[in-house]
Amino acid sequence: MIATSFLEISAKAYRQNIRYIRSEIGPKPTISAVVKGNAYGHGIEEMVQIAEKAGVRHFSTFSSDEAWLVKQYSKKNSEIMILGMLYHQEIGALINAEISFYVFDFERLEKTVDASKKIGKAAKIHIELETGFHRTGFEWEDRQKLVQVLQKAKEHVILEGLCTHYAGAESVSNYVRVKNQISGYYNFKNYLSEHHLFFNRYHTACSAATLIFPETIMDMVRIGIAGYGFWPTKETYFAKLKDLPKTNKNPLRRLITWKSQIMSLKKVKMGEFVGYGNSFMALKNMKLAIVPVGYGHGYSRLLSNSGQVLIGGQHCQVVGTVTMNAIAVNITPLKNVQVGDEVVLIGKQKSKEITVASFSESTQQVNYELLTRLPKDIPRKIIP
């Protein structure tokens, strides 16, 4: 079966990104590769393979279903950590599989202890602290009860990590808020230490915090978007710009290239409309290439009459409305274009490039959103 488009994932680019992250954090901290959201659209199966070959031995997922996929594809018995959703009835299976998970409320903590007692094996847990993100985590007011419960449960849990998540480390506007979170984390950490509760790893840093707030680099960093070659925001890039070598302004390399091909060619006379409705009228005689990718494949309708692709090393504009399964592209200036010619939707072709950021600016999506919306059924090919 041949798909209408496919993604190329560069293992070489990933190795470069890991080398850069390692140069920032030093030799000791563990790098946990965050593969939630189908590895930010790159594919969990492919990214586990690429990351393990690059020396990564720790993966973070949002949910248990993702964790089981990492377990399935791992060839190196890598550590797996669930940051968010799991079902209480599967805690025993997670414990048996030695998959660690966040615990951020007393109900999950209670269910974990019960499951541990039932199967006779201690659970590897990461206690998440609420420091100002206001999503999940134990509140400062919970500290006395938390100490009591953990001390009673010491035979049934392994305190694998003490963690928190920062609220917008990628934005200068959140600087004070993040600094307050760092302070809150240490207050909580010190309180637990005073009560003889110590953890195997202390970790708080996501990609943005790792790059912008070096004081958040502890025993482990959770690297998501930066591992895939994207700065969390332009602000984080500009904040690091002064530290980057002048010969290499961007040490991060993007892994992903999205390719398709021309399905058919079409001539349109001046004054005729293209596609549904009347959003585009040809102001001169035109030649179009029809590409078999549409919003059903993750190519947003917001790119109607504004998106661009690369054909023959040249930028070509999408004309008319993006449909479920196809787009029309203006190739009037090009010569010798044929059915079957390569079309690059994201990535490089000859000397030109279409970035995910260019999509994001056109559709008001952030890099994260566009990437994770790439359907799972688009084939992914690993490029060494």
Side-chain angles (χ1 to χ4, degrees):
M1 182 176 66
I2 301 176
T4 62
S5 69
F6 62 92
L7 300 171
E8 292 180 348
I9 313 297
S10 171
K12 181 179 179 180
Y14 186 78
R15 292 192 296 271
Q16 162 62 27
N17 298 338
I18 292 300
R19 282 194 296 269
Y20 173 64
I21 295 297
R22 180 58 70 191
S23 73
E24 288 288 307
I25 68 175
K28 291 186 178 180
T30 298
I31 293 176
S32 182
V34 182
V35 292
K36 63 182 181 178
N38 196 30
Y40 291 61
H42 293 67
I44 287 180
E45 178 179 1
E46 290 76 13
M47 285 311 306
V48 169
Q49 180 179 335
I50 289 171
E52 288 191 331
K53 287 183 177 179
V56 172
R57 295 293 181 269
H58 196 289
F59 293 91
S60 294
T61 72
F62 174 74
S63 52
S64 56
D65 59 324
E66 295 172 335
W68 291 118
L69 286 175
V70 174
K71 187 76 173 176
Q72 176 184 341
Y73 297 126
S74 174
K75 305 298 183 185
K76 301 292 184 180
N77 195 31
S78 293
E79 295 181 79
I80 304 168
M81 176 174 70
I82 299 172
L83 309 174
M85 180 62 187
L86 57 83
Y87 293 95
H88 291 155
Q89 60 264 34
E90 64 180 335
I91 290 178
L94 294 169
I95 295 173
N96 275 325
E98 298 190 354
I99 295 174
S100 67
F101 49 88
Y102 276 27
V103 172
F104 39 69
D105 58 40
F106 287 108
E107 182 181 17
R108 180 174 289 188
L109 184 52
E110 178 186 341
K111 298 293 184 182
T112 298
V113 172
D114 290 345
S116 171
K117 290 178 179 178
K118 185 176 181 179
I119 66 176
K121 185 174 182 177
K124 294 182 177 181
I125 64 172
H126 299 256
I127 296 296
E128 184 183 16
L129 306 177
E130 172 58 72
T131 58
F133 189 54
H134 299 299
R135 185 171 66 181
T136 51
F138 288 100
E139 303 280 351
W140 175 246
E141 291 75 18
D142 295 328
R143 64 191 183 280
Q144 289 182 325
K145 181 180 178 182
L146 180 61
V147 165
Q148 293 172 357
V149 174
L150 288 178
Q151 287 177 339
K152 288 181 181 179
K154 60 184 179 180
E155 294 180 6
H156 306 290
V157 296
I158 298 169
L159 300 180
E160 193 64 28
L162 185 69
C163 53
T164 195
H165 187 60
Y166 296 116
E170 68 281 354
S171 175
V172 173
S173 63
N174 290 316
Y175 180 84
V176 173
R177 187 177 176 189
V178 171
K179 283 289 189 178
N180 288 336
Q181 283 191 264
I182 295 170
S183 176
Y185 175 84
Y186 276 106
N187 288 339
F188 221 135
K189 173 182 179 292
N190 292 337
Y191 179 85
L192 295 173
S193 297
E194 289 168 3
H195 290 81
H196 309 289
L197 291 172
F198 302 99
F199 297 76
N200 293 334
R201 287 189 179 115
Y202 296 90
H203 59 98
T204 67
C206 58
S207 290
T210 299
L211 296 168
I212 304 301
F213 295 92
E215 64 269 38
T216 67
I217 299 170
M218 302 174 189
D219 298 311
M220 182 165 69
V221 294
R222 307 184 300 264
I223 302 299
I225 197 74
Y228 304 103
F230 298 89
W231 294 86
T233 60
K234 289 182 180 178
E235 287 182 67
T236 55
Y237 173 63
F238 290 130
K240 292 295 292 183
L241 193 60
K242 65 182 186 304
D243 300 325
L244 299 175
K246 293 182 180 179
T247 55
N248 182 13
K249 288 297 185 182
N250 188 356
L252 296 178
R253 297 285 179 267
R254 290 161 190 166
L255 279 60
I256 201 165
T257 301
W258 189 8
K259 293 182 178 180
S260 185
Q261 61 177 299
I262 295 174
M263 180 175 72
S264 67
L265 300 172
K266 174 71 65 175
K267 291 181 179 180
V268 178
K269 294 180 180 180
M270 182 176 64
E272 293 183 339
F273 292 97
V274 175
Y276 291 119
N278 55 8
S279 69
F280 183 87
M281 183 180 70
L283 300 179
K284 59 182 180 180
N285 292 339
M286 299 178 66
K287 189 174 184 180
L288 306 181
I290 309 303
V291 182
V293 173
Y295 60 78
H297 307 96
Y299 198 92
S300 174
R301 291 185 80 243
L302 294 175
L303 291 166
S304 301
N305 295 308
S306 64
Q308 293 193 341
V309 303
L310 294 174
I311 298 174
Q314 300 298 319
H315 285 95
C316 301
Q317 184 178 339
V318 173
V319 294
T321 303
V322 174
T323 67
M324 182 184 294
N325 303 112
I327 54 176
V329 179
N330 179 15
I331 57 168
T332 307
L334 304 187
K335 297 180 179 179
N336 302 319
V337 177
Q338 298 179 355
V339 170
D341 283 357
E342 179 185 84
V343 179
V344 171
L345 304 153
I346 296 175
K348 293 182 179 179
Q349 189 184 63
K350 297 184 179 179
S351 62
K352 301 290 178 32
E353 181 178 10
I354 293 180
T355 65
V356 171
S358 67
F359 273 66
S360 304
E361 290 167 1
S362 299
T363 62
Q364 303 303 308
Q365 294 175 307
V366 295
N367 289 338
Y368 306 79
E369 182 180 357
L370 189 145
L371 289 167
T372 55
R373 283 190 173 190
L374 292 171
K376 293 181 180 180
D377 59 1
I378 296 179
R380 275 109 171 132
K381 301 179 182 180
I382 297 175
I383 307 299

